[in-house]
Amino acid sequence: MTGDTELKRQLVHRHIRPFPDFPKKGIMFRDICPILKEPAALAAVIDLFEEHARKNYEKVELIVGLDARGFLFGPLLAQRLGIGFVLIRKKGKLPGATVSVVYDLEYGTAEMEIQEDGVAPGQKVLLIDDLLATGGTLLAACELMRKQQAEVLGCMVIIELKELNGIEKLKPLSVYSLLEY
């Protein structure tokens, strides 16, 4: 890791605000909102994602962002890479024909979808979100991409919560995390 890369990671780290006991007791919530308020921190996030994508995913054709925080970083990265951006949303939020997948949550299920024409068969995509916790949401997004016959090259997140071991669900896919807690 270059010195410049490490300085950017430190800048991003300084702009993540911890909230103990949110949304319930025993949870340490990592708030990324301060990154969005500080142009240098936001630029550092996109710089780090761009550097990783250019080095490891030369053939990426599309960035796919997960509802909702993947929408904040994905379009900026896509624009830097000169490629398109597509949304994966919660069920019922997209117009037109959609493809969906149901996935398990800690207490129940959820459903996410993409517009039917959002990703072409064989298209090489990178998934982006703010957080990897248990891995369920990113795994569901990968399943949605399989339904679309897209090729998932990898996943990128700002924060990985190591103790929840979500990365295991995503194997053999590569997951790039800017920060690990």
Side-chain angles (χ1 to χ4, degrees), residues 60-141:
V60 65
E61 299 172 292
L62 193 65
I63 301 295
V64 179
L66 279 65
D67 197 341
R69 292 177 197 95
F71 302 173
L72 302 173
F73 305 99
L76 297 172
L77 176 60
Q79 195 252 355
R80 288 253 193 109
L81 296 173
I83 60 177
F85 174 79
V86 173
L87 310 168
I88 290 181
R89 301 271 342 241
K90 293 176 180 85
K91 180 77 174 164
K93 301 291 184 182
L94 291 171
T98 60
V99 176
S100 65
V101 66
V102 175
Y103 62 104
D104 292 324
L105 297 172
E106 189 174 352
Y107 300 104
T109 62
E111 193 168 356
M112 63 173 55
E113 62 187 4
I114 189 168
Q115 288 176 319
E116 195 174 76
D117 63 354
V119 179
Q123 201 162 25
K124 293 170 177 34
V125 304
L126 276 176
L127 300 177
I128 190 167
D129 204 1
D130 66 322
L131 178 74
L132 171 59
T134 63
T137 305
L138 272 171
L139 182 63

Side-chain angles (χ1 to χ4, degrees), residues 5-60:
T5 298
E6 185 53 34
L7 289 174
K8 287 177 183 179
R9 282 185 197 276
Q10 289 172 12
L11 176 62
V12 172
H13 183 265
R14 286 195 308 272
H15 285 85
I16 293 176
R17 183 172 43 186
F19 280 96
D21 299 323
F22 181 83
K24 63 182 184 179
K25 190 159 185 65
I27 302 290
M28 176 63 76
F29 187 86
R30 307 285 178 177
D31 181 19
I32 63 162
C33 290
I35 292 171
L36 302 171
K37 285 176 41 178
E38 175 53 50
L42 180 56
V45 167
I46 304 308
D47 288 350
L48 291 165
F49 280 155
E50 179 186 11
E51 177 183 311
H52 181 77
R54 287 192 188 281
K55 184 176 177 182
N56 297 283
Y57 306 111
E58 294 174 3
K59 297 184 188 296
V60 65

